């Protein structure tokens, strides 16, 4: 309640410059009255409402605005809702608005490791952990609690689902308690991720068999101990039998056995276990065309329906693989008729540009939430939401100012999945920058744009699957056990998941949906479900191969358009964020071109079918580095080949530097020079560009991109505009290496 009161004061002070007077009694003048229904009953007996936990009522009573709920958390949510209304300029006259969250469990998961790193986190180090302990300064945790509360989120898992067994050591609970204390004032209950092997790995038992009574007793004692330290712990998250984590399969037991043994230990404390449905074998034989990772969640869980205890919730990812740029809704959603279920959405942009690309994910999530499974809409099946947030210590939480829209959108949808993407984009934009149709337009088109240049038609994100999941690497998904296969070869592309000739995955959908995916598959998902020849015609009338070419060009062109559109906002968005976002979009435009060229060239070489529009393989104004006059620089082959133009780049191995030059052959006039160079993480090489004797630009390659290699992740673009060039001018690139970084570059393009 104190948080609700302080937030009301802070909000009105911030927006109206007025400090509300605090009183315990209800005054005669205008007032904002905060309290639970029980608190207010004696003074406002006319207030009658039938509210669930966390729901709130905003109601005008005489000259007062009353914000009430059955619990303190609900009042806090009501305050945030009222402040949002004021900030959005909505009327607060004659209020009588009751809001009830659709799902009672609205959690975020943080994949934070105890050493302070974050698995798939792009906004800096952990706000919770440092060097194996809770951070000494937990002020960012309490700010995070406030942020989460403003979105109606009521639980936060504070450590990675790839759980460190130390989290359950007896002397560790004070660390958890310290974090819980920082979240508690915001109504955010703490959750811990646990390792199923703990009874053996830290418990001194020789087994973690869930049916062994000693194991059950261990879990019970452990949970009693944990709740003694954190009495309001919301529960636990557990990843078992997945990606190297131990699980019930070690003893031939079921997931219900595993979940229930922990659930029974939690039950006396009112705790929940969110048991992850993300179970699959990552050593599957690629050569077996019947193998299919997409089948795994359904195959593993559906037979246990009805066998889970009531405090078990199965946490199911939105799609059957893992957070790809496009996947169909997981067929497990709603298939468990007697089991509670959560949808797991990924806020952190693991496969979506990792905090460097503008990708508003709400339209993607909405597609799943609104999906008609044949026996109901996905959102109607859900008891819980889990969003993988992975915020970090960076000032803006995510490493850039725009990714916050996804946390905002997640919270709003967990509260009310019927909100539209447009409404959420509009709210966030207005609250963050002030209303702007331009920003809303960018947000709403950004997922489609990202999909177009990274993996359209259901191909999934064509990224470095076995590495950093960031840059382009078309074949990285193939010939390994991870199961993110697209099976492109010289004749065709796509996974055959049909019942008749493929893996049978389509048969996991309810019949009405299976029929559509089988016989009338939407173009967007065609290659997820079917293997087709490159000449196959889509509903659009175009061939698959031409569509792949066209969409990659459209996607890359769209990002260039974002840069132009963002520039129209100069002076209307605060300067700091204007510049940050501009740089981000300019970088993204360069990346989009790398993706475009890599994917289209890869498919051109593989299919041997030319682009009808003659773009693929033809790059007007481009001069390959390896074709320049080189002094010190040496040509090298880049792996994978498609990530460098012509498969090659040049590198410098001389501390004093190297040069590469060529003569301009184009028409005289004002030109833009673009240098495609490589920015690895192991140094900060220096580049200088000269036209004749005049230096026109210089920079250091000092971005923090996640690779030490020359590849699609490190490939970056420098744009030098407004340069006067005459035919015959010499253009020279001087590069000076630094540590492991070789001042490499790929080509220069002049426009
Ligand atoms: C926490 C994907 C990610 C992993 C993640 C896993 C999961 O495979 O790449 O980093 O592990 O999903 O959701 O458990």
């Amino acid at each position: 309640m104190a948080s609700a009161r302080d937030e009301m004061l802070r909000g009105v002070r911030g927006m109206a410059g007025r400090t509300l007077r605090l009183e315990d009694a209800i005054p005669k003048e205008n007032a904002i009255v905060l309290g639970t229904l029980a608190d207010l009953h004696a003074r406002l007996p006319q207030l009658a409402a039938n509210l669930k936990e966390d729901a709130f009522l905003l109601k005008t009573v005489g000259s007062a605005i009353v914000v009430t709920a059955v619990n303190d958390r609900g009042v806090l949510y009501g305050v945030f809702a009222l402040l949002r209304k004021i900030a959005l300029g909505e009327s607060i006259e004659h209020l009588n608005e009751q809001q009830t969250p659709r799902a009672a469990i609205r959690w975020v998961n943080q994949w934070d490791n105890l050493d302070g790193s974050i698995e798939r986190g792009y906004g800096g180090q952990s706000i919770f952990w440092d060097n194996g302990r809770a951070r000494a300064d937990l002020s960012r945790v309490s700010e995070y609690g406030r942020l989460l509360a403003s979105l109606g989120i009521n639980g936060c898992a504070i450590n990675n689902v790839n759980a460190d067994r130390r989290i359950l050591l007896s002397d560790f609970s004070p660390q958890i308690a310290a974090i819980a204390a920082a979240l508690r004032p915001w109504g955010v209950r703490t959750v811990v991720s646990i390792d199923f092997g703990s009874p053996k790995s830290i418990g001194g038992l020789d087994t973690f068999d869930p049916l062994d009574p000693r194991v059950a007793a261990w879990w019970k004692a452990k949970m009693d101990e944990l709740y003694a330290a954190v009495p309001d712990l919301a529960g636990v998250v557990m990843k078992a039998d997945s990606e190297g984590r131990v699980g019930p399969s070690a003893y031939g037991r079921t997931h219900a056995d595993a979940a229930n043994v922990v659930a029974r230990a939690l039950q006396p404390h009112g705790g929940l276990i969110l048991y992850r449905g993300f179970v699959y074998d990552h050593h599957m034989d690629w050569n077996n065309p019947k193998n299919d990772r997409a089948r795994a969640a359904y195959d593993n869980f559906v037979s246990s329906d009805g066998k889970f205890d009531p405090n078990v919730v199965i946490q199911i990812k939105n799609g059957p693989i893992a957070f790809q740029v496009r996947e169909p809704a997981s067929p497990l959603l709603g298939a468990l008729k007697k089991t509670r279920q959560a949808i797991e959405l990924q806020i952190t942009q693991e496969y979506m540009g990792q905090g460097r690309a503008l990708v508003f994910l709400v339209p993607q999530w909405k597609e799943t939430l609104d999906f008609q499974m044949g026996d109901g809409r996905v959102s109607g099946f859900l008891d819980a939401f889990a969003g993988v947030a992975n915020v970090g210590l960076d000032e803006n939480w995510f490493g850039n100012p725009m990714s916050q829209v996804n946390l905002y959108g997640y919270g709003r949808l967990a509260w009310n999945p019927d909100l539209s993407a447009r409404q959420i984009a509009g709210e966030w934009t207005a609250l963050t920058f002030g209303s702007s149709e331009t920003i809303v337009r960018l947000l709403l088109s950004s997922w489609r744009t990202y999909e177009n240049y990274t993996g359209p038609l259901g191909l999934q994100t064509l990224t470095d699957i076995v590495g950093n999941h960031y840059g382009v690497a078309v074949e990285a998904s193939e010939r390994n056990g991870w199961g993110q296969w697209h099976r492109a070869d010289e004749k065709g592309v796509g996974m055959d998941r049909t019942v008749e000739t493929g893996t049978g995955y389509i048969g996991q959908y309810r019949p009405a949906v299976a029929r559509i995916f089988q016989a009338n598959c939407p173009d967007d998902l065609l290659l997820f479900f079917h293997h087709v020849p490159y000449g196959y015609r889509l509903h659009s009338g175009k061939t698959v191969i031409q569509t792949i070419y066209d969409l990659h060009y459209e996607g890359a062109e769209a990002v260039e358009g974002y840069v132009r559109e963002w520039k129209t906002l100069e002076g209307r968005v605060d300067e700091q964020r204007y510049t940050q976002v501009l740089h981000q979009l300019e970088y993204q435009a360069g990346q989009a071109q790398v993706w475009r060229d890599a994917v289209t060239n890869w498919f051109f070489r593989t299919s041997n079918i030319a682009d009808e529009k003659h773009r693929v393989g033809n790059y007007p104004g481009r001069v390959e580095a390896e074709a320049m006059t080189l002094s010190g620089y040496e040509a090298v082959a880049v792996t994978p080949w498609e990530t460098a133009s012509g498969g090659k780049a040049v590198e410098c191995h001389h501390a004093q530097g190297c040069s590469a030059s060529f003569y301009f052959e184009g028409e005289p006039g004002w030109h833009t020079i673009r240098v495609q160079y490589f920015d690895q993480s192991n140094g900060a090489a220096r580049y200088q560009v000269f036209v004749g004797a005049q230096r026109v630009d210089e920079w250091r390659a000092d971005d923090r991109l996640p690779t030490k290699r020359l590849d699609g992740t490190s490939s970056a673009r420098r744009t030098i505009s407004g340069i006067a060039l005459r035919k015959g001018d010499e253009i020279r690139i001087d590069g000076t290496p630094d540590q492991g970084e070789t001042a490499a570059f790929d080509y220069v393009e002049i426009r």
Side-chain angles (χ1 to χ4, degrees):
M1 194 57 74
S3 297
R5 183 200 58 208
D6 294 350
E7 205 51 46
M8 196 72 236
L9 284 176
R10 174 154 46 174
V12 172
R13 177 87 232 154
M15 287 187 282
R18 306 222 167 137
T19 300
L20 298 173
R21 177 200 293 263
L22 277 178
E23 291 198 13
D24 285 334
I26 301 178
K28 297 227 164 21
E29 305 98 324
N30 292 344
I32 299 172
V33 178
L34 312 182
T36 61
L37 279 170
D39 295 339
L40 299 179
H41 182 70
R43 283 175 273 190
L44 294 172
Q46 70 273 43
L47 252 193
N50 186 10
L51 296 173
K52 287 193 181 162
E53 283 260 307
D54 292 2
F56 59 81
L57 172 69
L58 307 178
K59 192 171 168 72
T60 309
V61 180
S63 56
I65 295 176
V66 177
V67 181
T68 190
V70 284
N71 55 345
D72 283 11
R73 201 190 292 124
V75 178
L76 179 60
Y77 294 159
V79 164
F80 279 118
L82 181 60
L83 290 170
R84 181 157 44 229
K85 275 183 179 300
I86 299 171
L88 291 172
E90 291 171 14
S91 164
I92 53 166
E93 307 250 315
H94 314 298
L95 284 173
N96 188 11
E97 181 176 328
Q98 186 172 319
Q99 280 194 33
T100 306
R102 187 71 60 83
I105 305 161
R106 303 174 303 281
W107 291 2
V108 287
N109 289 182
Q110 288 277 143
W111 289 350
D112 295 34
N113 299 313
L114 303 188
D115 66 2
S117 61
I118 306 179
E119 181 159 347
R120 318 297 177 194
Y122 312 107
Q125 290 289 104
S126 171
I127 60 172
F128 300 103
W129 309 107
D130 183 27
N131 211 4
R133 299 172 62 80
R135 261 184 200 288
D137 176 2
L138 291 173
S139 50
R140 284 302 292 275
V141 175
S142 84
E143 282 176 37
Y144 190 38
R146 177 175 175 234
L147 183 59
L148 295 177
S150 75
L151 300 169
I153 290 166
N154 59 8
C156 174
I158 60 175
N159 62 310
N160 194 348
V161 288
N162 289 328
D164 191 315
R165 59 200 170 131
R166 285 176 296 170
I167 197 89
L168 288 182
L169 285 174
S170 300
D171 59 1
F172 199 80
S173 9
Q175 311 294 323
I176 303 171
I179 292 171
L183 292 172
R184 188 172 294 118
W186 301 103
V188 178
R189 292 171 69 188
T190 296
V191 178
V192 290
S193 301
I194 58 169
D195 178 26
F196 188 60
S198 302
K200 185 170 172 187
S201 63
I202 60 162
L205 300 181
D206 58 4
T207 177
F208 56 91
D209 179 353
L211 297 191
D212 187 312
R214 291 171 301 151
V215 169
W218 187 86
W219 280 114
K220 179 142 183 15
K222 184 49 71 181
M223 289 304 140
D224 289 349
E225 181 186 292
L226 195 54
Y227 273 86
V230 187
D232 58 351
L233 192 86
V236 301
V237 183
M238 194 160 82
K239 171 176 177 178
D241 274 333
S242 172
E243 300 185 333
R245 311 299 302 177
V246 297
S249 67
Y251 300 96
R253 309 301 186 202
T254 66
H255 294 294
D257 297 330
N260 291 346
V261 72
V262 181
R264 285 169 198 164
L266 288 159
Q267 194 274 335
H269 306 282
L272 296 166
I273 172 166
L274 269 73
Y275 190 96
R276 294 183 87 229
F278 183 62
V279 173
Y280 73 103
D281 169 14
H282 68 284
H283 295 295
M284 249 183 322
D285 179 8
W286 181 81
N287 292 303
N288 182 345
K290 296 288 173 192
N291 278 348
D292 188 358
R293 169 172 166 182
R295 293 189 58 111
Y298 187 96
D299 283 346
N300 274 295
F301 283 87
V302 101
S303 57
S304 294
D305 193 19
K307 302 196 178 114
F308 292 98
D309 278 14
N311 60 332
V312 177
V313 181
I314 305 300
Q315 181 167 318
I316 304 165
K317 289 191 184 190
N318 59 301
I321 302 289
F323 309 134
Q324 297 299 296
V325 70
R326 186 181 291 270
E327 294 181 43
S330 168
L332 187 58
L333 291 162
L336 300 172
K337 299 296 177 199
K338 298 175 212 140
T339 307
R340 294 165 87 191
Q341 54 200 289
I343 191 166
E344 180 177 310
L345 302 170
Q346 197 184 43
I347 299 159
T348 189
Q349 292 170 227
E350 176 180 355
Y351 285 96
M352 307 275 186
Q354 303 192 350
R356 290 172 181 275
L358 173 72
V359 187
F360 176 48
L361 292 167
V362 166
Q364 188 202 45
W365 300 336
K366 280 291 287 179
E367 237 177 64
T368 306
L369 292 167
D370 292 347
F371 188 73
Q372 268 296 348
M373 273 291 184
D375 54 357
R377 235 167 28 127
V378 167
S379 62
F381 300 133
L382 302 175
D383 302 281
F385 281 74
V388 180
N390 293 359
V391 304
L393 277 178
D394 280 7
E395 194 190 0
N396 52 38
W397 304 101
F398 290 98
N400 78 87
M402 300 303 277
S403 291
Q404 285 182 31
V405 70
N406 292 320
L407 180 59
Y408 183 86
Y410 168 73
R412 299 291 286 138
L413 285 179
W415 185 270
N416 178 6
D418 292 339
L419 292 175
S420 71
R422 164 162 283 280
Q423 187 171 348
I424 293 173
E427 276 182 15
W428 181 80
T429 302
L431 295 170
T432 308
F433 294 107
S435 301
S436 161
E437 250 318 294
T438 305
I439 298 179
V440 170
R441 201 171 44 243
L442 260 52
L443 289 174
L444 289 175
S445 61
S446 60
W447 168 45
R448 172 66 75 180
T449 292
Y450 195 73
E451 176 186 28
N452 283 348
Y453 73 79
T454 62
L457 300 180
L459 277 166
Q460 308 170 63
T461 319
L462 295 170
T463 187
D464 187 0
I465 295 297
V466 286
N468 55 35
H469 299 183
Y470 178 66
V472 55
V474 181
E475 267 172 289
S477 51
E478 306 307 289
R479 287 171 284 281
N480 61 49
W482 290 94
Q484 293 184 223
W485 310 322
H486 53 59
R487 297 206 180 277
D489 59 22
E490 64 283 2
K491 295 206 192 74
V493 54
M495 271 290 283
D496 182 355
R497 293 187 155 111
T498 61
V499 175
E500 294 70 22
T501 55
T503 68
Y505 167 76
I506 289 182
Q508 295 184 341
Y509 286 93
R510 277 65 121 195
V513 174
R515 272 196 296 278
I516 294 172
F517 288 148
Q518 169 64 44
N520 192 18
C521 188
D523 290 350
D524 281 341
L525 283 168
L526 181 75
L527 304 179
F528 192 89
F529 287 112
H530 299 273
H531 185 83
V532 297
Y534 290 109
Y536 181 89
R537 287 205 183 270
L538 300 169
H539 291 109
S540 67
K542 261 192 216 173
T543 62
V544 163
I545 190 72
Q546 193 55 41
T547 306
I548 291 176
Y549 296 148
D550 287 354
L551 291 180
H552 279 81
Y553 273 83
E554 265 171 45
E557 191 42 52
V559 190
E560 298 285 0
Y562 291 173
V563 174
R564 288 193 297 274
E565 289 214 58
W566 188 261
K567 284 183 175 162
T568 67
L569 298 172
E570 188 167 11
R572 286 197 271 161
V573 165
D574 63 280
E575 203 179 316
Q576 190 190 354
R577 283 182 304 172
Y578 171 77
T579 313
Q580 281 173 349
V581 177
L582 180 61
H583 287 158
Q584 179 186 329
L585 291 173
E586 281 171 340
Y587 168 81
Q588 188 184 344
Q591 263 289 301
Q593 184 170 315
V594 176
W595 277 87
R596 179 199 78 185
D597 290 355
V599 177
T600 53
N601 276 290
W602 192 92
F603 277 99
F604 178 31
R605 186 188 276 191
T606 306
S607 69
N608 207 17
I609 301 173
D611 167 25
E612 283 165 7
K613 297 179 188 156
H614 312 293
R615 296 157 302 187
V616 181
N618 296 312
Y619 306 101
R622 184 177 294 190
V623 183
E624 297 292 345
E626 59 274 18
M628 296 178 189
T629 305
L630 303 179
S631 162
Y633 267 122
E634 292 157 36
V636 285
V638 170
T639 314
W641 65 267
E642 72 271 18
T643 59
S645 191
K648 288 194 181 129
V650 298
E651 278 191 328
C652 176
H653 293 285
H654 304 285
Q656 72 278 16
C658 304
S659 301
S661 59
F662 63 98
Y663 292 100
F664 176 63
E665 304 286 351
E667 293 302 313
W670 296 104
H671 288 277
T672 297
I673 303 177
R674 282 178 165 165
V675 182
Q676 196 72 31
Y677 66 104
F678 292 91
D679 192 341
Q680 301 135 255
S681 56
N682 49 349
R686 178 165 176 242
Y687 296 83
Q688 299 179 81
V689 177
F690 293 84
V691 175
Q694 188 183 354
R695 188 171 69 193
V696 294
D697 196 19
E698 68 171 319
W699 70 95
R700 276 191 188 278
D702 57 2
D703 201 348
R704 289 181 302 173
L705 290 156
T707 184
K708 291 183 178 161
R709 298 164 2 108
L710 307 187
D711 59 16
T713 293
S714 52
S715 185
R717 188 171 83 177
R718 179 80 177 184
T719 300
I720 314 159
S721 48
I723 302 294
L725 293 178
R726 291 200 195 107
K727 215 176 185 120
D729 276 345
E730 187 194 45
I731 297 175
R732 196 176 87 239
I733 320 296
D734 285 359
T736 315
D738 177 55
Q739 302 166 64
E741 198 174 76
T742 54
F745 74 99
D746 185 2
Y747 61 84
V748 171
E749 213 164 73
I750 300 184
R751 298 186 172 199

